[in-house]
Amino acid sequence: MNKMLHSYRVTKYDPKCRDDRGRYTKDDWTSMTDICKVFNGVQLTKKEYLKIENLYIEAITSFMQYLKIPCLELKMLSKWQDKIDIKNYPEINPGELLRFYSHVREGMIIPLSEVVNIAKLALRDELGCKLISQSGLQVHFGYDFYMYIISSYKCEDVVDNIKASGLFVESLESPYMDDDI
């Protein structure tokens, strides 16, 4: 893929709460496993978790739709286990997602309709991966709800819509970039 021109860090974390080294200083949840825990006096509910997760997914699909990219290739796949254990989160991990997880493989072409499943699995710490398009789009999932979207095009309208949704978008190079892809 040609060198990307626009790299964005997309997170739920307000950049105003970073120290001079860029570390986030506010006590905040970082994973689905934090559901029911209290942060800054507020308990993280399943409903709130799913709301934020959906905003991340909408960010990815908005870029894909804007750039008219129908599918992405799954690269750098790392599954953390053979199978998802759903007993703690039965209504969050439906059977469809379990089946999808068991069949997902490196190099798969993921259509827009299934990007939702990959994003959920990555955000829920079930797998690590990159989603790549030869048309100029990459999505990198980091730890603790950090996501990077890299595009050959600036996509200002998409970025503005993501910001309006409540997520934060910063122009920042993905630490997961490499020349092999």
Side-chain angles (χ1 to χ4, degrees):
M1 179 181 286
N2 295 333
K3 183 164 173 66
M4 296 294 183
L5 301 176
H6 306 281
S7 182
Y8 306 100
R9 177 169 63 187
V10 178
T11 70
K12 63 185 196 70
Y13 306 112
D14 187 341
K16 294 176 191 167
C17 298
R18 294 188 184 282
D19 65 18
D20 57 350
R21 293 183 182 164
R23 289 182 295 210
Y24 194 71
T25 59
K26 189 176 173 185
D27 183 33
D28 207 339
W29 62 271
T30 59
S31 170
M32 180 179 77
T33 60
D34 290 332
I35 292 173
C36 294
K37 294 179 184 174
V38 176
F39 300 89
N40 294 306
V42 178
Q43 184 179 43
L44 176 62
T45 63
K46 289 177 186 176
K47 181 178 179 181
E48 179 63 16
Y49 171 85
L50 290 171
K51 174 186 157 197
I52 299 301
E53 180 182 80
N54 285 329
L55 291 177
Y56 277 70
I57 294 166
E58 288 172 16
I60 299 166
T61 59
S62 293
F63 266 93
M64 289 180 71
Q65 290 167 343
Y66 183 83
L67 296 170
K68 297 179 178 26
I69 295 174
C71 56
L72 296 167
E73 184 176 359
L74 184 62
K75 297 293 237 176
M76 309 286 292
L77 176 64
S78 296
K79 286 186 176 182
W80 311 135
Q81 52 207 7
D82 292 334
K83 177 178 156 180
I84 300 172
D85 182 4
I86 65 163
K87 62 184 161 200
N88 293 327
Y89 306 101
E91 64 243 29
I92 292 180
N93 282 318
E96 175 188 338
L97 196 54
L98 292 171
R99 284 187 296 281
F100 185 81
Y101 182 82
S102 67
H103 292 99
V104 72
R105 300 286 179 261
E106 174 76 20
M108 282 180 67
I109 302 302
I110 309 295
L112 177 60
S113 62
E114 292 181 0
V115 165
V116 170
N117 290 332
I118 288 291
K120 284 181 180 184
L121 290 166
L123 292 168
R124 294 175 188 186
D125 299 323
E126 300 291 355
L127 58 77
C129 70
K130 294 180 183 181
L131 297 171
I132 310 289
S133 164
Q134 295 305 315
S135 302
L137 181 68
Q138 294 189 24
V139 180
H140 303 169
F141 295 97
Y143 297 101
D144 297 340
F145 260 71
Y146 281 86
M147 182 174 75
Y148 298 85
I149 298 179
I150 302 95
S151 172
S152 294
Y153 303 95
K154 198 164 185 169
C155 306
E156 289 178 16
D157 291 341
V158 176
V159 169
D160 289 343
N161 289 337
I162 294 168
K163 288 178 181 178
S165 78
L167 293 180
F168 298 94
V169 182
E170 303 165 89
S171 290
L172 191 69
E173 186 173 322
S174 170
Y176 304 103
M177 286 298 294
D178 56 55
D179 297 330
D180 298 337
I181 298 177

